Each structure stands twice: as C-alpha cells, then as structure tokens.
mmCIF file of all heavy atoms in Angstrom:
data_model
loop_
_atom_site.group_PDB
_atom_site.id
_atom_site.type_symbol
_atom_site.label_atom_id
_atom_site.label_comp_id
_atom_site.label_asym_id
_atom_site.label_seq_id
_atom_site.Cartn_x
_atom_site.Cartn_y
_atom_site.Cartn_z
ATOM 1 N N ALA A 1 -6.094 -41.116 2.107
ATOM 2 C CA ALA A 1 -4.850 -40.404 2.418
ATOM 3 C C ALA A 1 -4.118 -40.188 1.192
ATOM 4 O O ALA A 1 -3.589 -38.891 1.029
ATOM 5 C CB ALA A 1 -3.945 -41.117 3.396
ATOM 6 N N LYS A 2 -3.946 -41.076 0.280
ATOM 7 C CA LYS A 2 -3.297 -40.901 -0.989
ATOM 8 C C LYS A 2 -4.003 -39.803 -1.841
ATOM 9 O O LYS A 2 -3.391 -39.017 -2.567
ATOM 10 C CB LYS A 2 -3.112 -42.158 -1.591
ATOM 11 C CG LYS A 2 -2.156 -43.141 -0.945
ATOM 12 C CD LYS A 2 -2.093 -44.441 -1.617
ATOM 13 C CE LYS A 2 -1.201 -45.530 -0.957
ATOM 14 N NZ LYS A 2 -1.158 -46.867 -1.544
ATOM 15 N N ARG A 3 -5.355 -39.894 -1.834
ATOM 16 C CA ARG A 3 -6.189 -38.887 -2.672
ATOM 17 C C ARG A 3 -6.172 -37.425 -2.014
ATOM 18 O O ARG A 3 -6.024 -36.483 -2.855
ATOM 19 C CB ARG A 3 -7.544 -39.526 -2.733
ATOM 20 C CG ARG A 3 -8.454 -38.613 -3.605
ATOM 21 C CD ARG A 3 -9.900 -39.189 -3.677
ATOM 22 N NE ARG A 3 -10.652 -38.510 -4.704
ATOM 23 C CZ ARG A 3 -11.889 -38.759 -5.018
ATOM 24 N NH1 ARG A 3 -12.385 -39.840 -4.371
ATOM 25 N NH2 ARG A 3 -12.489 -38.125 -5.841
ATOM 26 N N TYR A 4 -6.330 -37.405 -0.793
ATOM 27 C CA TYR A 4 -6.534 -36.111 -0.267
ATOM 28 C C TYR A 4 -5.289 -35.432 0.445
ATOM 29 O O TYR A 4 -5.229 -34.301 0.844
ATOM 30 C CB TYR A 4 -7.726 -36.059 0.748
ATOM 31 C CG TYR A 4 -9.074 -36.320 0.059
ATOM 32 C CD1 TYR A 4 -9.629 -37.521 0.328
ATOM 33 C CD2 TYR A 4 -9.669 -35.375 -0.805
ATOM 34 C CE1 TYR A 4 -10.922 -37.833 -0.296
ATOM 35 C CE2 TYR A 4 -10.687 -35.768 -1.498
ATOM 36 C CZ TYR A 4 -11.284 -36.982 -1.216
ATOM 37 O OH TYR A 4 -12.623 -37.211 -1.836
ATOM 38 N N GLY A 5 -4.334 -36.320 0.720
ATOM 39 C CA GLY A 5 -3.054 -35.836 1.233
ATOM 40 C C GLY A 5 -3.022 -35.585 2.771
ATOM 41 O O GLY A 5 -3.886 -36.115 3.466
ATOM 42 N N LYS A 6 -2.050 -34.978 3.208
ATOM 43 C CA LYS A 6 -1.751 -34.732 4.618
ATOM 44 C C LYS A 6 -2.744 -33.620 5.148
ATOM 45 O O LYS A 6 -3.248 -32.834 4.396
ATOM 46 C CB LYS A 6 -0.298 -34.306 4.912
ATOM 47 C CG LYS A 6 0.703 -35.466 4.601
ATOM 48 C CD LYS A 6 2.140 -35.026 4.934
ATOM 49 C CE LYS A 6 3.103 -36.242 4.821
ATOM 50 N NZ LYS A 6 4.535 -35.884 5.179
ATOM 51 N N VAL A 7 -2.771 -33.610 6.515
ATOM 52 C CA VAL A 7 -3.668 -32.660 7.119
ATOM 53 C C VAL A 7 -2.906 -31.927 8.163
ATOM 54 O O VAL A 7 -1.772 -32.354 8.513
ATOM 55 C CB VAL A 7 -4.877 -33.420 7.908
ATOM 56 C CG1 VAL A 7 -5.838 -34.036 6.883
ATOM 57 C CG2 VAL A 7 -4.362 -34.468 8.915
ATOM 58 N N GLY A 8 -3.444 -30.776 8.565
ATOM 59 C CA GLY A 8 -2.836 -29.934 9.587
ATOM 60 C C GLY A 8 -1.597 -29.118 9.077
ATOM 61 O O GLY A 8 -1.516 -28.930 7.888
ATOM 62 N N GLY A 9 -0.732 -28.813 10.007
ATOM 63 C CA GLY A 9 0.476 -28.049 9.749
ATOM 64 C C GLY A 9 0.123 -26.544 10.032
ATOM 65 O O GLY A 9 -0.906 -26.021 9.647
ATOM 66 N N PHE A 10 0.914 -26.001 10.936
ATOM 67 C CA PHE A 10 0.724 -24.644 11.345
ATOM 68 C C PHE A 10 0.671 -23.585 10.289
ATOM 69 O O PHE A 10 0.024 -22.604 10.340
ATOM 70 C CB PHE A 10 1.647 -24.271 12.504
ATOM 71 C CG PHE A 10 1.190 -24.435 13.872
ATOM 72 C CD1 PHE A 10 0.591 -25.649 14.264
ATOM 73 C CD2 PHE A 10 1.202 -23.439 14.792
ATOM 74 C CE1 PHE A 10 0.010 -25.834 15.436
ATOM 75 C CE2 PHE A 10 0.749 -23.596 16.129
ATOM 76 C CZ PHE A 10 0.064 -24.827 16.448
ATOM 77 N N ALA A 11 1.442 -23.714 9.245
ATOM 78 C CA ALA A 11 1.422 -22.845 8.160
ATOM 79 C C ALA A 11 0.202 -22.788 7.459
ATOM 80 O O ALA A 11 -0.284 -21.709 6.963
ATOM 81 C CB ALA A 11 2.722 -23.170 7.142
ATOM 82 N N HIS A 12 -0.431 -23.935 7.295
ATOM 83 C CA HIS A 12 -1.775 -24.032 6.552
ATOM 84 C C HIS A 12 -2.858 -23.539 7.545
ATOM 85 O O HIS A 12 -3.835 -22.830 7.145
ATOM 86 C CB HIS A 12 -1.912 -25.368 6.119
ATOM 87 C CG HIS A 12 -0.804 -25.905 5.216
ATOM 88 N ND1 HIS A 12 -0.630 -25.720 3.941
ATOM 89 C CD2 HIS A 12 0.242 -26.680 5.556
ATOM 90 C CE1 HIS A 12 0.343 -26.293 3.452
ATOM 91 N NE2 HIS A 12 0.946 -26.807 4.455
ATOM 92 N N LEU A 13 -2.697 -23.953 8.870
ATOM 93 C CA LEU A 13 -3.674 -23.508 9.810
ATOM 94 C C LEU A 13 -3.650 -21.997 9.902
ATOM 95 O O LEU A 13 -4.666 -21.355 10.092
ATOM 96 C CB LEU A 13 -3.321 -24.094 11.160
ATOM 97 C CG LEU A 13 -4.078 -23.662 12.367
ATOM 98 C CD1 LEU A 13 -5.621 -23.971 12.253
ATOM 99 C CD2 LEU A 13 -3.534 -24.274 13.645
ATOM 100 N N SER A 14 -2.421 -21.389 9.813
ATOM 101 C CA SER A 14 -2.284 -19.970 9.927
ATOM 102 C C SER A 14 -2.994 -19.185 8.803
ATOM 103 O O SER A 14 -3.720 -18.156 9.019
ATOM 104 C CB SER A 14 -0.869 -19.530 9.925
ATOM 105 O OG SER A 14 -0.677 -18.127 10.052
ATOM 106 N N THR A 15 -2.943 -19.736 7.625
ATOM 107 C CA THR A 15 -3.712 -19.208 6.525
ATOM 108 C C THR A 15 -5.109 -19.183 6.833
ATOM 109 O O THR A 15 -5.852 -18.090 6.525
ATOM 110 C CB THR A 15 -3.441 -19.997 5.243
ATOM 111 O OG1 THR A 15 -2.061 -19.869 4.890
ATOM 112 C CG2 THR A 15 -4.275 -19.465 4.098
ATOM 113 N N LEU A 16 -5.654 -20.182 7.312
ATOM 114 C CA LEU A 16 -7.217 -20.214 7.623
ATOM 115 C C LEU A 16 -7.483 -19.356 8.772
ATOM 116 O O LEU A 16 -8.625 -18.674 8.744
ATOM 117 C CB LEU A 16 -7.586 -21.703 7.884
ATOM 118 C CG LEU A 16 -9.059 -21.894 8.131
ATOM 119 C CD1 LEU A 16 -9.860 -21.394 6.887
ATOM 120 C CD2 LEU A 16 -9.442 -23.426 8.497
ATOM 121 N N VAL A 17 -6.751 -19.282 9.824
ATOM 122 C CA VAL A 17 -6.917 -18.353 10.872
ATOM 123 C C VAL A 17 -7.038 -16.967 10.458
ATOM 124 O O VAL A 17 -7.947 -16.206 10.784
ATOM 125 C CB VAL A 17 -5.900 -18.590 12.034
ATOM 126 C CG1 VAL A 17 -6.045 -17.414 13.004
ATOM 127 C CG2 VAL A 17 -6.052 -19.920 12.751
ATOM 128 N N LYS A 18 -6.030 -16.563 9.559
ATOM 129 C CA LYS A 18 -6.153 -15.173 9.089
ATOM 130 C C LYS A 18 -7.240 -14.875 8.261
ATOM 131 O O LYS A 18 -7.879 -13.866 8.320
ATOM 132 C CB LYS A 18 -4.792 -14.996 8.272
ATOM 133 C CG LYS A 18 -3.537 -14.821 9.040
ATOM 134 C CD LYS A 18 -2.375 -14.602 8.154
ATOM 135 C CE LYS A 18 -1.066 -14.315 9.066
ATOM 136 N NZ LYS A 18 0.167 -14.144 8.230
ATOM 137 N N ARG A 19 -7.728 -15.853 7.441
ATOM 138 C CA ARG A 19 -9.005 -15.676 6.686
ATOM 139 C C ARG A 19 -10.240 -15.413 7.560
ATOM 140 O O ARG A 19 -11.013 -14.589 7.364
ATOM 141 C CB ARG A 19 -9.230 -16.825 5.787
ATOM 142 C CG ARG A 19 -8.228 -16.917 4.568
ATOM 143 C CD ARG A 19 -8.661 -18.084 3.672
ATOM 144 N NE ARG A 19 -7.567 -18.311 2.642
ATOM 145 C CZ ARG A 19 -7.663 -19.238 1.682
ATOM 146 N NH1 ARG A 19 -8.722 -19.853 1.654
ATOM 147 N NH2 ARG A 19 -6.739 -19.384 0.818
ATOM 148 N N MET A 20 -10.326 -16.300 8.532
ATOM 149 C CA MET A 20 -11.479 -16.262 9.451
ATOM 150 C C MET A 20 -11.422 -14.939 10.308
ATOM 151 O O MET A 20 -12.504 -14.375 10.513
ATOM 152 C CB MET A 20 -11.448 -17.509 10.431
ATOM 153 C CG MET A 20 -11.711 -18.810 9.780
ATOM 154 S SD MET A 20 -13.341 -18.956 8.879
ATOM 155 C CE MET A 20 -12.825 -18.974 7.145
ATOM 156 N N LYS A 21 -10.279 -14.550 10.761
ATOM 157 C CA LYS A 21 -10.237 -13.300 11.533
ATOM 158 C C LYS A 21 -10.474 -12.130 10.593
ATOM 159 O O LYS A 21 -11.141 -11.129 11.078
ATOM 160 C CB LYS A 21 -8.856 -13.158 12.155
ATOM 161 C CG LYS A 21 -8.722 -14.006 13.366
ATOM 162 C CD LYS A 21 -7.489 -13.555 14.251
ATOM 163 C CE LYS A 21 -7.546 -14.289 15.593
ATOM 164 N NZ LYS A 21 -6.409 -13.839 16.547
ATOM 165 N N ALA A 22 -10.160 -12.217 9.424
ATOM 166 C CA ALA A 22 -10.309 -10.996 8.420
ATOM 167 C C ALA A 22 -11.811 -10.880 8.233
ATOM 168 O O ALA A 22 -12.271 -9.772 8.004
ATOM 169 C CB ALA A 22 -9.619 -11.315 7.124
ATOM 170 N N SER A 23 -12.481 -12.026 8.033
ATOM 171 C CA SER A 23 -14.024 -11.924 7.820
ATOM 172 C C SER A 23 -14.772 -11.819 9.042
ATOM 173 O O SER A 23 -16.076 -11.567 8.921
ATOM 174 C CB SER A 23 -14.432 -13.277 7.062
ATOM 175 O OG SER A 23 -14.288 -14.411 7.964
ATOM 176 N N ARG A 24 -14.238 -11.900 10.125
ATOM 177 C CA ARG A 24 -14.903 -11.872 11.473
ATOM 178 C C ARG A 24 -14.093 -10.786 12.401
ATOM 179 O O ARG A 24 -13.332 -11.298 13.347
ATOM 180 C CB ARG A 24 -15.041 -13.224 12.115
ATOM 181 C CG ARG A 24 -15.944 -14.118 11.387
ATOM 182 C CD ARG A 24 -15.605 -15.603 11.658
ATOM 183 N NE ARG A 24 -16.835 -16.527 11.246
ATOM 184 C CZ ARG A 24 -16.920 -16.779 10.027
ATOM 185 N NH1 ARG A 24 -16.154 -16.349 9.047
ATOM 186 N NH2 ARG A 24 -17.983 -17.518 9.678
ATOM 187 N N PRO A 25 -14.363 -9.552 12.147
ATOM 188 C CA PRO A 25 -13.547 -8.556 13.040
ATOM 189 C C PRO A 25 -13.762 -8.878 14.559
ATOM 190 O O PRO A 25 -14.788 -9.053 15.056
ATOM 191 C CB PRO A 25 -14.227 -7.267 12.612
ATOM 192 C CG PRO A 25 -14.713 -7.499 11.230
ATOM 193 C CD PRO A 25 -15.281 -8.911 11.282
ATOM 194 N N GLY A 26 -12.538 -8.894 15.251
ATOM 195 C CA GLY A 26 -12.564 -9.095 16.649
ATOM 196 C C GLY A 26 -12.562 -10.509 17.087
ATOM 197 O O GLY A 26 -12.582 -10.773 18.240
ATOM 198 N N ALA A 27 -12.647 -11.497 16.175
ATOM 199 C CA ALA A 27 -12.719 -12.950 16.546
ATOM 200 C C ALA A 27 -11.488 -13.245 17.365
ATOM 201 O O ALA A 27 -10.405 -12.839 17.130
ATOM 202 C CB ALA A 27 -12.796 -13.762 15.233
ATOM 203 N N LEU A 28 -11.729 -14.163 18.312
ATOM 204 C CA LEU A 28 -10.668 -14.662 19.260
ATOM 205 C C LEU A 28 -10.266 -16.112 18.888
ATOM 206 O O LEU A 28 -11.174 -16.939 18.641
ATOM 207 C CB LEU A 28 -11.143 -14.599 20.681
ATOM 208 C CG LEU A 28 -11.443 -13.173 21.279
ATOM 209 C CD1 LEU A 28 -12.002 -13.278 22.594
ATOM 210 C CD2 LEU A 28 -10.217 -12.255 21.234
ATOM 211 N N LEU A 29 -9.024 -16.238 18.960
ATOM 212 C CA LEU A 29 -8.469 -17.654 18.571
ATOM 213 C C LEU A 29 -8.176 -18.318 20.039
ATOM 214 O O LEU A 29 -7.316 -17.867 20.815
ATOM 215 C CB LEU A 29 -7.236 -17.633 17.745
ATOM 216 C CG LEU A 29 -6.574 -19.099 17.555
ATOM 217 C CD1 LEU A 29 -7.372 -20.070 16.926
ATOM 218 C CD2 LEU A 29 -5.204 -18.822 16.720
ATOM 219 N N LEU A 30 -8.813 -19.449 20.354
ATOM 220 C CA LEU A 30 -8.695 -20.026 21.607
ATOM 221 C C LEU A 30 -7.974 -21.414 21.356
ATOM 222 O O LEU A 30 -8.285 -22.259 20.534
ATOM 223 C CB LEU A 30 -10.061 -20.429 22.211
ATOM 224 C CG LEU A 30 -10.999 -19.254 22.314
ATOM 225 C CD1 LEU A 30 -12.284 -19.599 22.931
ATOM 226 C CD2 LEU A 30 -10.470 -17.950 22.985
ATOM 227 N N ASP A 31 -6.957 -21.651 22.288
ATOM 228 C CA ASP A 31 -6.125 -22.928 22.192
ATOM 229 C C ASP A 31 -6.536 -23.738 23.514
ATOM 230 O O ASP A 31 -6.304 -23.297 24.610
ATOM 231 C CB ASP A 31 -4.797 -22.518 22.187
ATOM 232 C CG ASP A 31 -3.814 -23.822 22.210
ATOM 233 O OD1 ASP A 31 -4.325 -24.904 22.238
ATOM 234 O OD2 ASP A 31 -2.548 -23.550 22.167
ATOM 235 N N GLY A 32 -7.060 -25.036 23.170
ATOM 236 C CA GLY A 32 -7.569 -25.846 24.378
ATOM 237 C C GLY A 32 -6.416 -26.587 24.990
ATOM 238 O O GLY A 32 -6.744 -27.431 25.894
ATOM 239 N N GLY A 33 -5.176 -26.403 24.656
ATOM 240 C CA GLY A 33 -4.102 -27.106 25.337
ATOM 241 C C GLY A 33 -3.584 -28.373 24.676
ATOM 242 O O GLY A 33 -3.976 -28.667 23.545
ATOM 243 N N ASP A 34 -2.615 -29.093 25.254
ATOM 244 C CA ASP A 34 -1.918 -30.242 24.656
ATOM 245 C C ASP A 34 -1.246 -29.733 23.444
ATOM 246 O O ASP A 34 -1.239 -30.270 22.331
ATOM 247 C CB ASP A 34 -2.727 -31.424 24.314
ATOM 248 C CG ASP A 34 -3.077 -32.193 25.471
ATOM 249 O OD1 ASP A 34 -2.628 -31.914 26.569
ATOM 250 O OD2 ASP A 34 -3.683 -33.342 25.414
#
C-alpha cells in the first residue's frame, strides 16, 4: 500500500472509462449495484 498507493476514486475511474470508450466505439458501461 505504501509503495503503490491508494486505489479507486471516481475521478481516476472516469479517466479510464473515457479511454476505454474512446478506443471502443459504442461500448456500454454497466453498474452492478451497491
């Protein structure tokens, strides 16, 4: 944890979602709940 740091966070997740959607036209983001 000290070496690699914290995980998650919607701002960081959002960056990855945008990248994946940009490289995959029409890709759908599914949210499984909770």
Side-chain angles (χ1 to χ4, degrees):
K2 292 176 182 177
R3 181 176 187 180
Y4 296 112
K6 293 184 176 182
V7 293
F10 262 50
H12 307 276
L13 174 62
S14 181
T15 295
L16 185 58
V17 168
K18 286 182 176 180
R19 290 185 188 182
M20 292 298 109
K21 283 195 170 185
S23 65
R24 291 160 167 75
L28 296 176
L29 176 59
L30 310 184
D31 176 359
D34 279 7

